[in-house]
Amino acid sequence: MDLMTALRTTAAIREFENREVSDETIYDLLETARFAPSGGNRQAWRVVVVKDEHQRALLGEAYRRGWYEYLAQGAAGLVPWASVTNREAEQEAIRHASAFEEAAKQGPGGMAEHLESSPVLMLLVADLRYLATVDRDLDRYTLVGGGSIYPFAWSVLLAARSVGLGGVLTTMVVKDEEELRGAFHLEQHHCIAGLMVLGYPKHQPTKLRRSLVESFATFDTLDGTAVSPR
Ligand SMILES: Cc1cc2nc3c(=O)[nH]c(=O)nc-3n(C[C@H](O)[C@H](O)[C@H](O)COP(=O)(O)O)c2cc1C
């Protein structure tokens, strides 16, 4: 598959065949993803491939705690955990998270409910000592640090696609970073950037819903003329 096609058609995959992914394959994905860019080429990513059942269960529980809160916020019309938001409305929405958990128990469940049985669970960790965070001292939410980690995650997903695998970068467990620290031997200078879930896809959707260039790109100023097709 050529690069343009891969970039335009690599969807989030959350349903997997009941088929094991070998350690060799996992190694090969990381062996390609290691060429991802990072600030100052510091490569502050660390990866923990989680096989242990107890650790997987911890991740599943943490994921679901966040997931039902996410659903509750979405149902209330909020952008879940937006860094600029109405915190009171958010808290009110989150109070209803247990209703979403109960509803999920009535059905077959999705990735969240079966997270621990996913073929591959990869905890993506950042070493804060090596993360160039240029916006660190600004009086606002910091964003730049993640830019040195998430391209790596995307490279894992693209590499996965090229060998018939699929997956998704998830972030729900990050909320429970402190509780997870001990189980994964994370030191204070480590933080969790996400949890990657990978496997052989049951389906491979290729038509992605994304906004048009005209809706997000302008000339000269943010409210300038839209960048439009030639
Ligand atoms: C930073 C980040 C965090 C995400 N967190 C989650 C998550 O916690 N759970 C999940 O199911 N998907 C998660 N996703 C996947 C997005 O939901 C997905 O990329 C988006 O909805 C587009 O889906 P599509 O490729 O199927 O169109 C995350 C993606 C990114 C980039």
Side-chain angles (χ1 to χ4, degrees):
M1 176 183 303
D2 71 284
L3 179 59
M4 287 298 182
T5 305
L7 288 169
R8 295 174 72 99
T9 65
T10 301
I13 302 292
R14 301 185 182 85
E15 279 188 274
F16 306 101
E17 285 177 5
N18 186 13
R19 179 175 161 198
E20 201 181 310
V21 179
S22 70
D23 288 352
E24 290 73 20
T25 302
I26 294 172
Y27 181 88
D28 289 346
L29 298 182
L30 299 174
E31 164 56 23
T32 294
R34 75 189 173 93
F35 292 97
S38 59
N41 199 19
R42 296 290 173 175
Q43 304 164 52
W45 51 75
R46 296 288 306 272
V47 169
V48 181
V49 181
V50 185
K51 294 189 170 190
D52 177 81
E53 268 186 38
H54 174 66
Q55 287 173 308
R56 280 179 158 248
L58 288 178
L59 290 173
E61 287 157 20
Y63 188 91
R64 285 184 287 278
R65 274 192 290 276
W67 181 243
Y68 300 125
E69 291 186 5
Y70 171 88
L71 293 180
Q73 290 174 75
L78 299 169
V79 176
W81 297 293
S83 52
V84 177
T85 194
N86 177 341
R87 293 279 182 146
E88 272 176 30
E90 187 176 285
Q91 281 314 306
E92 176 54 28
I94 285 175
R95 265 194 281 280
H96 301 287
S98 57
F100 290 84
E101 181 174 2
E102 288 312 311
K105 281 184 186 151
Q106 308 308 314
M111 185 181 80
E113 287 70 31
H114 304 287
L115 193 91
E116 33 280 88
S117 358
S118 305
V120 178
L121 290 179
M122 242 187 226
L123 195 67
L124 183 56
V125 172
D127 188 328
L128 298 173
R129 296 171 302 174
Y130 301 114
L131 214 54
T133 317
V134 177
D135 57 354
R136 184 191 61 191
D137 300 324
L138 297 183
D139 188 20
R140 62 149 172 80
Y141 164 82
T142 87
L143 188 63
V144 172
S148 285
I149 300 295
Y150 296 120
F152 171 84
W154 183 227
S155 291
V156 170
L157 291 174
L158 287 174
R161 178 88 196 281
S162 82
V163 294
L165 286 155
V168 60
L169 165 69
T170 75
T171 42
M172 298 298 154
V173 303
V174 178
K175 273 168 57 59
D176 284 2
E177 181 177 274
E178 283 313 311
E179 289 87 333
L180 295 171
R181 222 169 250 292
F184 295 95
H185 299 187
L186 307 184
E187 296 186 51
Q188 280 310 316
H189 55 263
H190 293 127
C191 72
I192 301 178
L195 176 70
M196 303 201 66
V197 186
L198 298 165
Y200 290 96
K202 271 198 176 160
H203 318 281
Q204 178 72 73
T206 52
K207 276 206 161 37
L208 310 189
R209 280 191 308 124
R210 300 291 188 266
S211 303
L212 297 175
V213 173
E214 293 85 324
S215 72
F216 63 80
T218 52
F219 288 109
D220 295 330
T221 58
L222 206 49
D223 55 357
T225 315
V227 177
S228 50
R230 283 174 295 268

